[in-house]
Amino acid sequence: MYSWNNWRDHPQGAETPYVAWFRKVHKGRLGPKPKFVRQVVPRAVNQFHTLDHAETTLAAPKETTAGPSTPFVIRAPEYLTNQKFAKWWNNRSDKSTWLPPAKDFECPTVPADTLLAGIIDIGLPMGHSRFRLENGQTRVLGHWLQGAPVPTDTTGAPKQPFLPFGAQLMEADINATLQAFSVDQDLSRPLDQDGFNRATGLVNFHLPEGERGLATRATHGAHVMGLVGGADAKDPLQSTFSKRTRFLLVTLPPEFAFGEGGTFLDFYLIYALRWILEMNARIAAKSGLSKPLPLVTNISIGKHAGAKDAAEPFVAELLDQDHVPPLDAAVSMEPFHAILAAGNSNLERAAAHVILQPGEEKHLDWMIPPNDDTSNFLEIWNEQPSTMPQATAPLEIELVPPGQPQSGTSAGMDAQIKTLAGGPNAAKPLGQIFCARVDTADSSMTRFRYLVCLAPDRYRSDTWSSPPSGRWRIYLKNPTSAPVTVSLLIQTDQAAHPGASEPRSSYLIDPTYKAYNDDGRIRDTYSYGFRTMAQSADPAKDLDTADLVSRHGSLNSYSANKAVATIAGYRANDGRPAPYSSTGPRVVTSANRRAQPTAAFPTDDGYAHLGILADGASDGSIVAMQGTSFASAQATRVILQAWLDKEHDPYGTISIDRFLSNIATRQRPEDGWFKCPVMDKKIGSGRVVPEGRATKVPR
């Protein structure tokens, strides 16, 4: 038998519950494992100043130190971590900025009419001919490889002490390496791409934890980069685009570095976004320009679970870009344009939503797969209209292991925890539930989150035990006198080891949920089919009719906000929305939450041609890949082209979100598309046919 102990106080200090769980599980894992060390990161939105006076050595465990000026302490793989970063930060000569001024490193210069594409992704190549100028030189102005080993000098000191992780390559470094690995050192001759990738750190075979994606057939980043800015510089129709657009790239570290459930991903992304913005400011300054260059950043990364508002650290960073504090005055003059993917979790059964009336109790099952080497996480958010201080959550919960009876629901208080133990190793915990109040400044809701963490069942440990796989039952009860809105969200599963295969993801079970229509086709959020002239043009039928498990509200937690353009996907041959493309929520309860995607771009060519074609990992290769990441990449290219054609002012008052919505609104349906309504919760303002795919171009 397994049992939960009573709720007890658990002050987090500078740790999030995810970090606390990672520390527990990783520390006790038996067998070979990557070594993680401590690193400081900004505590909250744009609070780089919280790093001021960060401990110069991270030897002493100070995570329990609380306070608004305390930075977060995360764990990062040792080989990519600059453990002297905090010391450099505290002793930097210019306290008003993060990166050193342009004069202190080889910052490139560009013409005044240059446009920038920022890309934050994984597996971003630089040697492809489509990412180079006609003379063979690179179009990449700078590339931060967050997962690369920290370069050091002969004394062991970091060569780039201002970087908390990895290594930075600038245009001159890239061009020199391109020349060194070209036949006869001639940039017009073929490139030894494998040698170039190893020399630049894009591939690290000598490290067991090193990146190897670009040695395979395809990478996510290569596909995105090709769709965003790939161009044949020798083609007269593409030469202007190639000449005037440049890249600022950030390659995120390998997936295992994010921690199970994406524990640390927010903080890598915060640094990545700020690096791109600050690098733009420095390039403009060195080029003699009065303000930063037009820049649109593509971030095809996301997570299933989260507050879907400013309670997420990276979302707070996105929302606050219009109010950048005086860390770097030049960045405050920079127009902020970001495009994110809507997400691909619409069919994952990773979300459930219910409004519990006073005294009402409901339950559903959570399926934990067997032989899983990663932890499983479930976030249970509950909120009710109120701004009153409240220490106890307005929701009682219970998680019952497979085959056991219910023992009773209970409510936790802010900063409390309860632990599951029992079974063959009664002294070792199998899981924990963290309870915390998580409000935001723009919310009029009292909001609590229960974070349920279950240990892996495949690997053994000295400090935790393996929970049983199968159906875990979740009970939800409203003990208050007012209705309570409850959302259950399964967190994205991330690999726990270098080179690990795709983790086995858990999912929610609701007997009323239908995965397929009566004709055997995959059931989407809304109906979509042929419609005759005699049929009504009423809104499409909502097929998301289950009691609890829902496709609504499955938007990527990073893109479910109004600071960015959020791009969904559809099938090009008939206009059908991609079933996996995530759907907006039924009800928006926060001012910054997004009600629907901005618009939809192609993610599949047809029923028998899944995905769309773009660059593979090797120069000249083409592969088909599927997902809203590649829809967002096409939207990013549309923005760059609109700037080239002077159809949108990057410094103007019309956001790219509104601009893309306007394009989608006036886009006429293609010949052969089904003539039936498509709901805005699914595709936003409409479907955009990018130039080159269109038979009709709206003007």
Side-chain angles (χ1 to χ4, degrees), residues 167-450:
Q168 171 183 287
L169 294 170
M170 301 307 293
E171 180 188 51
D173 306 315
I174 300 166
N175 282 330
T177 312
L178 283 171
Q179 185 172 9
F181 284 90
S182 297
V183 173
D184 296 332
Q185 297 192 351
D186 183 348
L187 289 174
S188 66
R189 303 288 301 277
L191 176 72
D192 174 6
Q193 189 167 332
D194 289 337
F196 172 81
N197 288 344
R198 289 193 297 270
T200 52
L202 293 173
V203 172
N204 288 291
F205 281 109
H206 66 289
L207 290 171
E209 307 95 341
E211 184 59 67
R212 292 169 173 75
L214 287 170
T216 62
R217 175 174 171 269
T219 67
H220 189 276
H223 214 65
V224 165
M225 193 173 172
L227 290 166
V228 168
D232 181 355
K234 298 179 181 179
D235 183 340
L237 297 178
Q238 302 179 52
S239 59
T240 299
F241 183 90
S242 173
K243 183 178 180 180
R244 289 190 53 193
T245 58
R246 296 288 194 276
F247 297 103
L248 284 173
L249 307 177
V250 178
T251 292
L252 295 169
E255 185 178 330
F256 81 93
F258 302 158
E260 298 179 39
T263 301
F264 310 127
L265 178 56
D266 279 69
F267 305 105
Y268 289 111
L269 287 171
I270 287 173
Y271 271 122
L273 180 62
R274 180 53 72 95
W275 181 88
I276 287 175
L277 296 174
E278 293 206 21
M279 192 58 68
N280 182 13
R282 278 147 186 74
I283 291 170
K286 194 158 189 177
S287 301
L289 306 178
S290 60
K291 58 185 177 181
L293 296 159
L295 164 70
V296 56
T297 303
N298 187 96
I299 310 168
S300 293
I301 302 291
K303 293 196 291 190
H304 294 171
K308 302 186 188 290
D309 62 18
E312 299 298 310
F314 182 58
V315 174
E317 182 79 7
L318 293 170
L319 290 168
D320 207 56
Q321 283 307 315
D322 290 334
H323 316 287
V324 177
L327 174 66
D328 192 327
V331 174
S332 65
M333 297 187 294
E334 193 166 335
F336 179 66
H337 305 294
I339 297 180
L340 277 77
N344 306 319
S345 61
N346 202 55
L347 308 177
E348 298 296 322
R349 287 183 280 176
H353 306 280
V354 63
I355 298 177
L356 292 176
Q357 299 303 320
E360 185 178 12
E361 179 178 289
K362 289 194 175 184
H363 69 267
L364 75 164
D365 290 344
W366 180 23
M367 177 60 76
I368 305 297
N371 202 32
D372 189 4
D373 63 357
T374 60
S375 299
N376 287 285
F377 302 95
L378 175 68
E379 295 187 5
I380 304 175
W381 292 87
N382 56 100
E383 56 188 26
Q384 61 183 5
S386 173
T387 55
M388 297 293 291
Q390 184 171 331
T392 303
L395 176 72
E396 293 182 354
I397 67 168
E398 183 184 9
L399 181 62
V400 180
Q404 289 194 193
Q406 183 183 12
S407 60
T409 58
S410 63
M413 298 181 67
D414 185 23
Q416 283 196 327
I417 187 175
K418 67 188 313 184
T419 302
L420 178 66
N425 299 293
K428 296 181 181 180
L430 297 87
Q432 290 182 324
I433 302 177
F434 297 81
C435 178
R437 180 164 175 170
V438 188
D439 290 341
T440 58
D442 66 345
S443 176
S444 61
M445 313 295 284
T446 297
R447 185 170 64 179
F448 279 79
R449 179 188 67 182
Y450 292 107

Side-chain angles (χ1 to χ4, degrees), residues 589-632:
T589 57
S590 175
N592 283 321
R593 289 183 186 170
R594 176 176 283 279
Q596 63 190 48
T598 302
F601 279 71
T603 52
D604 299 276
D605 281 330
Y607 183 79
H609 296 276
L610 303 181
I612 55 175
L613 295 173
D615 296 73
S618 298
D619 186 18
S621 67
I622 298 176
V623 297
M625 297 183 73
Q626 182 183 53
T628 56
S629 293
F630 312 118
S632 69

Side-chain angles (χ1 to χ4, degrees), residues 65-109:
T65 303
S69 63
T70 305
F72 279 126
V73 178
I74 68 169
R75 263 70 178 174
E78 183 178 41
Y79 79 92
L80 60 81
T81 303
N82 172 15
Q83 298 182 57
K84 298 181 180 179
F85 172 69
K87 182 177 181 179
W88 176 86
W89 180 274
N90 290 335
N91 294 296
R92 69 195 192 283
S93 57
D94 185 355
K95 300 295 185 182
S96 66
T97 185
W98 166 26
L99 296 180
K103 63 182 179 62
D104 289 348
F105 59 88
E106 294 298 321
C107 185
T109 59

Side-chain angles (χ1 to χ4, degrees), residues 13-52:
E15 283 192 333
T16 71
Y18 278 105
V19 176
W21 177 256
F22 175 86
R23 181 161 55 93
K24 177 186 293 293
V25 172
H26 183 78
K27 181 179 180 180
R29 191 186 297 272
L30 298 178
K33 58 184 179 183
K35 184 176 181 181
F36 282 73
V37 295
R38 293 153 50 79
Q39 181 60 292
V40 292
V41 292
R43 182 174 180 84
V45 51
N46 268 313
Q47 289 185 355
F48 273 66
H49 64 270
T50 64
L51 293 174
D52 290 340

